Amino acid sequence: MSTQQGRPLPDPIKMVTIPSRLDYTITPGEAPTRFLRGILEGRILAERCPKCGKVYMPPRGSCATCAIPTKEQVELSAKGTVTTFCVVNLPFYGQAVEIPYVCASVVLDGADLPFFCLLAECPVEEVRPGMRVEAVWCEPSERKPSLENIRYMKPTGEPDATYESFKEHL
Amino acid sequence: MGQDKLKHYEGVLSAVHTLEYPYTRSVGRVIGTFLAGLREGRILGIRGAGGSVLVPPSEYDPVTTESLTEMLDVGDTGVVTTWSWVEAPRAKHPLQKPFAWALVKLDGATTSLLHAVDAGDEKRMKTGMRVRVRWRAERKGGISDIECFEPAEAKS
């Protein structure tokens, strides 16, 4: 190619890096703030719906089913049951954990919603639904108001939970 | 948000969160040449069907869909065809003072290019006004090699 005017065209640029970046200010709201302040102290403060009794962890401040505020706080232990999981084998930009690793849905004892977390201190091929796990917390000096204070869940070594006990939470 | 409302939310946490995807992509021959031209301080268009000149250039004619190849230089002055004033620029905007987003039809082009116009004052902005490219001193081969456009009368 050349221009009609006869001036030679420059060699084309082949690749461009264009970061797509969004800067947010996140304000979690009152119920998640109560929850995150608890997390700073290493406590898990869920909230119970006064009507249906469902326990939200993390709390949203209202019950998704009954549409009423959940004011009652319930402190949960940091033990729970794996409901589902996936093994991550693919590396990607920004990955914080060495592959292969396990992301799991864990429902804490007494909670009615599973939450998403890392699972470690366990060979990936041994992870299974029903596995009993417990939280490994950051050192108190490293804690932030974030669920990342739970560095990961690890097996407790207890016998597996029965499918019946967590099938409602899949 | 009123002051009462703010008071109500006192004590609620908030945090800065940045989401970034570092896309690297190939731009193709036509856009690649356009970008390389910007690095040289040239604006290149492409000859479309019926003698039109598309700036920025595209690989295919938008009407006939025929493949386009003939690139040509267009002027670094042009006419504002439409514009919108930005009174309070955001951090990522090309200028950190009030400016206009404008469609600029460069001399020799049939289509318009979207860019910023540094007119200083909204009252100076007019559809049909003549503008000139203000090149960045250090150019890297991107659309921001054009720092912005400025009223053409200013320097002529």
Side-chain angles (χ1 to χ4, degrees):
Chain A
M1 289 196 301
S2 71
T3 62
Q4 204 179 35
Q5 299 98 320
R7 194 173 165 193
L9 288 169
D11 287 335
I13 286 170
K14 291 190 174 65
M15 304 285 279
V16 291
T17 299
I18 303 175
S20 171
R21 180 185 160 115
L22 298 163
D23 293 313
Y24 289 99
T25 301
I26 290 182
T27 303
E30 290 181 0
T33 292
R34 290 193 290 270
F35 171 76
L36 291 171
R37 292 203 194 286
I39 285 284
L40 264 179
E41 301 169 8
R43 300 169 68 195
I44 300 172
L45 299 172
E47 292 184 5
R48 191 192 317 273
C49 172
K51 193 171 168 195
C52 70
K54 196 176 271 187
V55 172
Y56 286 90
M57 197 312 282
R60 292 133 166 80
S62 65
C63 175
T65 309
C66 309
I68 53 173
T70 54
K71 292 248 169 85
E72 185 196 344
Q73 290 206 325
V74 187
E75 182 157 2
L76 302 179
S77 81
K79 269 188 176 184
T81 301
V82 172
T83 59
T84 59
F85 66 95
C86 81
V87 180
V88 179
N89 285 299
L90 284 174
F92 57 86
Y93 174 85
Q95 199 165 47
V97 188
E98 208 170 301
I99 56 169
Y101 63 92
V102 178
C103 288
S105 269
V106 170
V107 62
L108 293 181
D109 296 348
D112 286 288
L113 282 178
F115 78 107
F116 202 55
C117 56
L118 287 172
L119 204 158
E121 290 190 36
C122 174
V124 295
E125 59 276 10
E126 285 180 21
V127 180
R128 59 206 177 266
M131 191 175 190
R132 296 285 296 154
V133 290
E134 64 186 332
V136 175
W137 294 82
C138 289
E139 292 301 318
S141 61
E142 295 172 359
R143 283 186 195 154
K144 301 167 286 186
S146 160
L147 248 190
E148 285 176 23
N149 283 357
I150 295 179
R151 289 174 58 207
Y152 54 84
M153 303 293 279
K154 67 170 186 184
T156 63
E158 294 167 291
D160 283 7
T162 61
Y163 173 67
E164 294 300 314
S165 70
F166 64 86
K167 69 173 184 184
E168 298 299 324
H169 306 309
L170 287 173
Chain B
M1 196 183 282
Q3 285 301 312
D4 293 355
K5 206 77 168 165
L6 280 174
K7 201 163 179 65
H8 178 66
Y9 287 117
E10 240 169 55
V12 169
L13 293 167
S14 77
V16 169
H17 177 73
T18 301
L19 188 64
E20 186 176 82
Y21 302 100
Y23 289 116
T24 298
R25 64 189 191 97
S26 56
V27 287
R29 182 179 49 92
V30 171
I31 294 296
T33 305
F34 172 68
L35 297 177
L38 292 174
R39 191 166 52 193
E40 292 183 3
R42 306 165 66 177
I43 303 172
L44 291 160
I46 201 159
R47 180 85 64 196
S52 63
V53 177
L54 312 175
V55 183
S58 62
E59 292 183 31
Y60 298 94
D61 187 87
V63 179
T64 66
T65 74
E66 72 180 87
S67 182
L68 304 177
T69 56
E70 188 195 335
M71 297 196 74
L72 64 162
D73 289 276
V74 296
D76 62 3
T77 51
V79 171
V80 169
T81 59
T82 185
W83 55 277
S84 174
W85 191 251
V86 179
E87 188 58 44
R90 308 294 296 268
K92 301 291 162 56
H93 276 163
L95 294 171
Q96 290 307 301
K97 56 178 174 175
F99 70 98
W101 282 119
L103 284 174
V104 175
K105 192 158 93 170
L106 292 167
D107 296 336
T110 319
T111 60
S112 299
L113 175 80
L114 178 69
H115 218 298
V117 175
D118 180 13
D121 188 334
E122 184 178 359
K123 291 191 185 77
R124 267 190 98 180
M125 285 302 300
K126 280 189 189 64
T127 296
M129 75 189 285
R130 292 204 49 81
V131 289
R132 178 193 311 278
V133 167
R134 185 196 297 164
W135 291 103
R136 211 171 281 283
E138 267 185 45
R139 295 188 293 271
K140 296 173 181 169
I143 192 63
S144 58
D145 288 349
I146 296 175
E147 192 175 335
C148 60
F149 286 85
E150 56 194 17
E153 306 84 66
K155 282 188 177 173
S156 59

